[in-house]
Amino acid sequence: MKRYRWLRARWPISMRVLAKRLRVKAFDGEQVEGFVLDRVRDDFLDARFVEKIEYDDTVTDPFGVEASFHRVEYRSCEFKAAVAGPGLELVDAPRGVQTMISRLAEATDFALAISPLSVNVLDWASEVQRRLNEVGIVDSLQLGAMELASNVQAKAVVKGSVDVLGATQALVHGKKHVIEKVQIRFMRPKRLTVLLTNNGVARFDQEPSEDLLSIVRASLPL
Protein backbone atom coordinates (compact mmCIF):
# COMPACT_ATOMS: atom_id res chain seq x y z
CA MET A 1 0.00 0.00 0.00
CA LYS A 2 1.36 3.41 -1.00
CA ARG A 3 0.71 6.33 1.35
CA TYR A 4 0.79 10.03 0.49
CA ARG A 5 0.28 12.83 2.97
CA TRP A 6 -0.10 16.51 2.14
CA LEU A 7 0.70 19.48 4.35
CA ARG A 8 0.02 23.13 3.73
CA ALA A 9 3.39 24.76 3.07
CA ARG A 10 4.07 28.27 1.80
CA TRP A 11 7.62 28.52 0.47
CA PRO A 12 9.23 31.95 0.91
CA ILE A 13 11.91 31.18 -1.68
CA SER A 14 11.87 29.73 -5.20
CA MET A 15 12.32 26.01 -5.81
CA ARG A 16 15.68 26.65 -7.50
CA VAL A 17 16.96 28.54 -4.47
CA LEU A 18 15.56 25.88 -2.14
CA ALA A 19 17.39 23.21 -4.15
CA LYS A 20 20.69 25.07 -3.80
CA ARG A 21 20.25 25.33 -0.05
CA LEU A 22 19.33 21.66 0.29
CA ARG A 23 22.47 20.70 -1.65
CA VAL A 24 24.49 22.43 1.08
CA LYS A 25 22.81 20.00 3.50
CA ALA A 26 23.29 17.01 1.20
CA PHE A 27 23.59 13.48 2.57
CA ASP A 28 26.69 11.66 1.32
CA GLY A 29 26.93 8.81 3.82
CA GLU A 30 29.25 10.53 6.27
CA GLN A 31 26.71 12.81 7.98
CA VAL A 32 24.01 11.54 10.28
CA GLU A 33 21.34 13.24 8.18
CA GLY A 34 20.85 15.22 4.99
CA PHE A 35 18.98 15.64 1.72
CA VAL A 36 19.20 13.82 -1.60
CA LEU A 37 17.77 15.76 -4.55
CA ASP A 38 16.14 13.68 -7.30
CA ARG A 39 14.53 16.26 -9.57
CA VAL A 40 14.36 20.06 -9.64
CA ARG A 41 12.05 22.24 -11.72
CA ASP A 42 10.95 25.87 -11.52
CA ASP A 43 7.68 24.98 -9.75
CA PHE A 44 8.61 21.88 -7.73
CA LEU A 45 11.38 19.60 -6.55
CA ASP A 46 11.50 15.92 -5.60
CA ALA A 47 13.89 14.92 -2.84
CA ARG A 48 14.53 12.61 0.09
CA PHE A 49 15.56 13.29 3.66
CA VAL A 50 17.85 10.53 4.95
CA GLU A 51 18.79 9.84 8.57
CA LYS A 52 21.63 7.50 9.51
CA ILE A 53 20.93 5.64 12.75
CA GLU A 54 23.70 3.68 14.50
CA TYR A 55 23.24 1.51 17.57
CA ASP A 56 24.62 -1.55 19.34
CA ASP A 57 22.38 -4.60 19.47
CA THR A 58 23.12 -7.03 22.30
CA VAL A 59 21.95 -10.65 22.17
CA THR A 60 22.33 -13.44 24.70
CA ASP A 61 22.91 -17.04 23.63
CA PRO A 62 21.37 -20.07 25.43
CA PHE A 63 24.43 -20.23 27.74
CA GLY A 64 24.08 -16.66 28.96
CA VAL A 65 26.95 -15.29 26.88
CA GLU A 66 26.28 -11.82 25.53
CA ALA A 67 27.43 -10.61 22.14
CA SER A 68 27.12 -7.08 20.79
CA PHE A 69 26.71 -6.12 17.15
CA HIS A 70 27.04 -2.64 15.75
CA ARG A 71 24.18 -1.89 13.38
CA VAL A 72 23.52 0.92 10.92
CA GLU A 73 20.08 1.78 9.58
CA TYR A 74 18.96 4.43 7.12
CA ARG A 75 15.57 6.07 7.55
CA SER A 76 14.38 7.87 4.43
CA CYS A 77 11.42 10.14 3.72
CA GLU A 78 10.58 10.99 0.12
CA PHE A 79 8.88 14.34 -0.43
CA LYS A 80 7.80 16.85 -3.05
CA ALA A 81 7.97 20.61 -2.44
CA ALA A 82 5.80 22.64 -4.79
CA VAL A 83 4.79 26.22 -5.41
CA ALA A 84 1.16 25.32 -6.20
CA GLY A 85 -1.33 23.17 -4.31
CA PRO A 86 -0.79 22.16 -0.68
CA GLY A 87 2.94 22.81 -0.98
CA LEU A 88 4.44 19.71 0.66
CA GLU A 89 3.83 16.06 -0.19
CA LEU A 90 5.26 13.20 1.89
CA VAL A 91 5.54 9.68 0.48
CA ASP A 92 5.37 6.71 2.87
CA ALA A 93 6.59 9.01 5.63
CA PRO A 94 7.74 7.52 8.95
CA ARG A 95 5.93 8.52 12.12
CA GLY A 96 8.45 11.17 13.09
CA VAL A 97 9.10 13.81 10.43
CA GLN A 98 9.81 16.72 12.75
CA THR A 99 13.56 16.60 12.11
CA MET A 100 13.00 16.85 8.37
CA ILE A 101 10.53 19.73 8.83
CA SER A 102 13.05 21.52 11.04
CA ARG A 103 15.80 21.15 8.43
CA LEU A 104 13.50 22.48 5.70
CA ALA A 105 12.68 25.44 7.93
CA GLU A 106 16.40 26.08 8.46
CA ALA A 107 16.91 26.06 4.68
CA THR A 108 14.38 28.92 4.39
CA ASP A 109 15.85 30.91 7.29
CA PHE A 110 12.85 29.79 9.37
CA ALA A 111 10.43 31.69 7.11
CA LEU A 112 8.66 28.49 6.04
CA ALA A 113 5.08 28.10 7.29
CA ILE A 114 3.77 24.52 7.52
CA SER A 115 0.41 23.43 8.91
CA PRO A 116 -1.70 20.24 8.75
CA LEU A 117 -4.66 19.97 6.43
CA SER A 118 -8.28 19.52 7.45
CA VAL A 119 -10.49 18.72 4.47
CA ASN A 120 -14.02 17.62 3.69
CA VAL A 121 -13.22 14.08 2.67
CA LEU A 122 -16.53 13.56 0.85
CA ASP A 123 -15.86 16.61 -1.32
CA TRP A 124 -12.37 15.25 -2.01
CA ALA A 125 -13.73 11.85 -3.00
CA SER A 126 -16.37 13.41 -5.29
CA GLU A 127 -13.81 15.61 -7.03
CA VAL A 128 -11.48 12.65 -7.61
CA GLN A 129 -14.31 10.74 -9.31
CA ARG A 130 -15.30 13.78 -11.37
CA ARG A 131 -11.77 14.36 -12.63
CA LEU A 132 -11.29 10.67 -13.36
CA ASN A 133 -14.63 10.62 -15.15
CA GLU A 134 -15.23 7.34 -13.36
CA VAL A 135 -17.78 6.68 -10.61
CA GLY A 136 -16.45 4.45 -7.87
CA ILE A 137 -18.13 2.68 -4.98
CA VAL A 138 -17.63 4.00 -1.46
CA ASP A 139 -17.34 0.58 0.16
CA SER A 140 -15.94 1.76 3.51
CA LEU A 141 -16.38 4.86 5.61
CA GLN A 142 -15.24 5.83 9.10
CA LEU A 143 -17.27 8.14 11.31
CA GLY A 144 -15.94 9.94 14.36
CA ALA A 145 -17.40 12.14 17.09
CA MET A 146 -20.91 10.92 16.30
CA GLU A 147 -23.17 12.33 18.99
CA LEU A 148 -25.42 9.66 20.51
CA ALA A 149 -26.56 11.77 23.44
CA SER A 150 -25.37 14.74 25.44
CA ASN A 151 -21.65 14.17 26.22
CA VAL A 152 -21.80 10.74 24.56
CA GLN A 153 -19.97 10.16 21.28
CA ALA A 154 -19.21 7.14 19.13
CA LYS A 155 -16.81 6.08 16.40
CA ALA A 156 -18.09 3.73 13.72
CA VAL A 157 -16.86 2.00 10.58
CA VAL A 158 -19.42 1.30 7.86
CA LYS A 159 -18.47 -1.37 5.30
CA GLY A 160 -20.25 -3.10 2.46
CA SER A 161 -19.97 -4.79 -0.91
CA VAL A 162 -22.16 -1.97 -2.29
CA ASP A 163 -22.02 1.80 -1.86
CA VAL A 164 -22.45 2.62 1.85
CA LEU A 165 -23.25 6.34 1.63
CA GLY A 166 -27.02 5.82 1.77
CA ALA A 167 -26.80 3.53 4.78
CA THR A 168 -24.46 5.99 6.48
CA GLN A 169 -26.95 8.82 6.07
CA ALA A 170 -29.60 6.66 7.71
CA LEU A 171 -27.22 5.83 10.55
CA VAL A 172 -26.28 9.41 11.42
CA HIS A 173 -29.85 10.70 10.80
CA GLY A 174 -29.09 14.30 11.70
CA LYS A 175 -26.63 13.47 14.48
CA LYS A 176 -23.49 15.57 14.73
CA HIS A 177 -20.57 13.62 13.28
CA VAL A 178 -17.26 13.83 11.44
CA ILE A 179 -16.42 11.74 8.39
CA GLU A 180 -12.79 10.80 8.98
CA LYS A 181 -12.09 8.32 6.18
CA VAL A 182 -13.63 7.31 2.86
CA GLN A 183 -12.54 4.34 0.77
CA ILE A 184 -13.41 4.30 -2.94
CA ARG A 185 -13.26 1.18 -5.07
CA PHE A 186 -12.85 1.65 -8.80
CA MET A 187 -13.32 -1.15 -11.32
CA ARG A 188 -12.09 0.58 -14.48
CA PRO A 189 -9.70 0.84 -16.17
CA LYS A 190 -8.47 -1.64 -13.57
CA ARG A 191 -9.45 -2.59 -10.07
CA LEU A 192 -8.11 0.02 -7.66
CA THR A 193 -8.84 1.08 -4.09
CA VAL A 194 -8.13 4.58 -2.76
CA LEU A 195 -8.52 5.51 0.91
CA LEU A 196 -8.84 9.24 1.66
CA THR A 197 -8.72 10.81 5.13
CA ASN A 198 -9.80 14.20 6.41
CA ASN A 199 -6.24 15.16 7.38
CA GLY A 200 -5.01 15.04 3.79
CA VAL A 201 -3.79 11.45 3.44
CA ALA A 202 -4.35 9.14 0.46
CA ARG A 203 -3.56 5.43 0.54
CA PHE A 204 -3.49 3.34 -2.63
CA ASP A 205 -3.62 -0.45 -2.60
CA GLN A 206 -1.11 -0.44 -5.48
CA GLU A 207 1.44 1.91 -6.97
CA PRO A 208 -0.58 4.80 -8.46
CA SER A 209 0.16 6.10 -11.93
CA GLU A 210 1.46 9.66 -12.16
CA ASP A 211 -1.81 10.70 -13.81
CA LEU A 212 -3.90 9.27 -10.97
CA LEU A 213 -1.65 10.80 -8.33
CA SER A 214 -1.87 14.19 -10.04
CA ILE A 215 -5.67 13.97 -10.02
CA VAL A 216 -5.86 13.02 -6.35
CA ARG A 217 -3.43 15.81 -5.48
CA ALA A 218 -5.27 18.42 -7.57
CA SER A 219 -8.64 17.34 -6.13
CA LEU A 220 -7.72 18.31 -2.56
CA PRO A 221 -10.31 20.85 -1.35
CA LEU A 222 -7.93 23.52 -0.05
Side-chain angles (χ1 to χ4, degrees), residues 4 6 11 15-16 18-20 22-23 35-49 76-83 87-91 100 104 210 213-214 217:
Y4 293 79
W6 288 274
W11 300 96
M15 293 295 102
R16 298 287 183 182
L18 177 61
K20 289 180 180 179
L22 295 187
R23 287 192 181 99
F35 293 94
V36 177
L37 288 172
D38 297 315
R39 183 169 51 163
V40 179
R41 298 292 185 270
D42 288 339
D43 54 347
F44 74 90
L45 65 80
D46 293 326
R48 288 164 286 152
F49 180 70
S76 178
C77 181
E78 180 183 347
F79 68 92
K80 177 189 290 289
V83 174
L88 182 60
E89 175 181 296
L90 309 181
V91 184
M100 184 190 76
L104 288 173
E210 186 55 43
L213 181 57
S214 296
R217 184 190 298 127

Side-chain angles (χ1 to χ4, degrees), residues 107-139:
T108 64
D109 297 326
F110 299 100
L112 173 63
I114 294 182
S115 59
L117 291 180
S118 179
V119 303
N120 184 316
V121 72
L122 280 184
D123 288 349
W124 190 10
S126 296
E127 184 63 13
V128 168
Q129 294 176 81
R130 187 189 71 79
R131 289 177 181 249
L132 280 175
N133 195 27
E134 175 66 32
V135 178
I137 296 175
V138 177
D139 63 359

Side-chain angles (χ1 to χ4, degrees), residues 145-155 175-176:
M146 185 170 66
E147 190 174 57
L148 301 181
S150 179
N151 298 318
V152 180
Q153 295 181 337
K155 182 185 288 286
K175 300 181 180 71
K176 292 181 179 179

Side-chain angles (χ1 to χ4, degrees), residues 50-214:
V50 181
E51 293 180 272
K52 181 180 180 181
I53 302 170
E54 298 185 66
Y55 63 94
D56 292 322
D57 192 9
T58 302
V59 297
T60 304
D61 69 14
F63 304 101
V65 179
E66 291 187 346
S68 294
F69 302 91
H70 186 70
R71 300 188 183 276
V72 179
E73 293 182 2
Y74 295 92
R75 183 179 301 164
S76 178
C77 181
E78 180 183 347
F79 68 92
K80 177 189 290 289
V83 174
L88 182 60
E89 175 181 296
L90 309 181
V91 184
D92 288 336
R95 285 185 176 273
V97 295
Q98 189 54 49
T99 301
M100 184 190 76
I101 297 297
S102 297
R103 299 299 173 263
L104 288 173
E106 288 176 5
T108 64
D109 297 326
F110 299 100
L112 173 63
I114 294 182
S115 59
L117 291 180
S118 179
V119 303
N120 184 316
V121 72
L122 280 184
D123 288 349
W124 190 10
S126 296
E127 184 63 13
V128 168
Q129 294 176 81
R130 187 189 71 79
R131 289 177 181 249
L132 280 175
N133 195 27
E134 175 66 32
V135 178
I137 296 175
V138 177
D139 63 359
S140 179
L141 185 151
Q142 180 174 302
L143 296 167
M146 185 170 66
E147 190 174 57
L148 301 181
S150 179
N151 298 318
V152 180
Q153 295 181 337
K155 182 185 288 286
V157 176
V158 184
K159 294 183 177 181
S161 57
V162 296
D163 198 291
V164 301
L165 285 178
T168 301
Q169 291 174 356
L171 174 65
V172 298
H173 192 55
K175 300 181 180 71
K176 292 181 179 179
H177 66 283
V178 175
I179 299 180
E180 298 175 338
K181 300 178 182 180
V182 168
Q183 180 170 282
I184 316 170
R185 187 172 76 245
F186 296 100
M187 303 304 295
R188 294 180 300 173
K190 62 179 180 179
R191 187 180 178 89
L192 172 71
T193 299
V194 182
L195 176 68
L196 307 175
T197 75
N198 64 346
N199 62 345
V201 172
R203 292 187 179 93
F204 302 86
D205 65 342
Q206 54 190 278
E207 186 79 31
S209 66
E210 186 55 43
D211 287 343
L212 174 59
L213 181 57
S214 296

